[in-house]
Amino acid sequence: ASVYSIDWRDIQIGLFQSAPPFFSYTDNASRAKSKGIELSLASRPVDGLSVSLWTAWNDSQLTENLPANANNPGRDGDRLPYSARFSAAFSLEQAFPVGAWTGFLGGSANYVGRREGEFSAPRQNYPSYTKVDVRAGVRSDAWNASFFVNNLTDRRSLLSGGAGIFPFSFSYIQPRTAGISVSRGF
């Protein structure tokens, strides 16, 4: 577990010129604070089973208006860009013998809460999302071979872009991706 409280002066924030000519820049932007709690747990309740859980609550916001020359509407009390109040992750993996190798089946789910984009007029809202990944494979001391499916539910969650930046440009979470990975450690 960890508890944190951070006070920033002259925090560096990406800002955007929202009228022609459009451009982005980084500026020292007044004062901000971030406070929160993070909890994590890792357990091996039975032979071969690994379970982990992580969660965080975060409150990050400006504590002073952005400078008047910033051309952006950031005000005291506005949330910092891309900061979710709540996020969490859960993962489990079961290992089992497969001859001289160790087989495994596992998966994870990651939740990211609602966020707001860069300081602009208006600010883009990014809804919460959950991403689920699964994997199966075998490993030895040196080799690891696995089949994986990332973003199993094919959720097209919005990560960045939109209002105030380039209204026609968005970045989304990578779509469902299946693959095979083979690696050797030295």
Side-chain angles (χ1 to χ4, degrees), residues 31-49:
R31 295 174 182 260
K33 69 178 178 180
S34 182
K35 59 185 176 182
I37 300 170
E38 294 183 3
L39 302 170
S40 63
L41 172 69
S43 177
R44 295 181 187 267
V46 296
D47 191 36
L49 179 63

Side-chain angles (χ1 to χ4, degrees), residues 87-107:
S87 55
F90 174 75
S91 176
L92 62 92
E93 183 173 287
Q94 177 66 54
F96 48 89
V98 178
W101 295 68
T102 300
F104 61 89
L105 294 170

Side-chain angles (χ1 to χ4, degrees), residues 82 115 124-129 131 151 154-163 166-177:
Y82 306 106
R115 292 127 13 252
Q124 181 70 43
N125 287 312
Y126 303 114
S128 62
Y129 67 90
K131 179 177 168 279
N151 194 6
D154 202 25
R155 181 83 186 259
R156 302 296 171 94
S157 301
L158 183 57
L159 298 177
S160 66
F166 298 105
F168 50 83
S169 176
F170 293 94
S171 294
Y172 291 90
I173 195 168
Q174 186 174 359
R176 181 183 305 122
T177 305

Side-chain angles (χ1 to χ4, degrees), residues 24-127:
S24 64
Y25 60 100
T26 301
D27 197 1
N28 290 338
S30 305
R31 295 174 182 260
K33 69 178 178 180
S34 182
K35 59 185 176 182
I37 300 170
E38 294 183 3
L39 302 170
S40 63
L41 172 69
S43 177
R44 295 181 187 267
V46 296
D47 191 36
L49 179 63
S50 300
V51 180
S52 62
L53 174 67
W54 170 87
T55 187
W57 174 82
N58 175 39
D59 182 22
S60 297
Q61 60 184 305
L62 289 176
T63 56
E64 185 176 278
N65 294 348
L66 290 178
N69 65 350
N71 296 323
N72 293 84
R75 302 285 177 243
D76 183 5
D78 287 352
R79 290 190 56 73
L80 293 182
Y82 306 106
S83 62
R85 281 202 191 275
F86 180 75
S87 55
F90 174 75
S91 176
L92 62 92
E93 183 173 287
Q94 177 66 54
F96 48 89
V98 178
W101 295 68
T102 300
F104 61 89
L105 294 170
S108 61
N110 296 286
Y111 171 82
V112 176
R114 188 184 74 75
R115 292 127 13 252
E116 293 183 71
E118 303 291 345
F119 292 113
S120 62
R123 285 183 83 179
Q124 181 70 43
N125 287 312
Y126 303 114

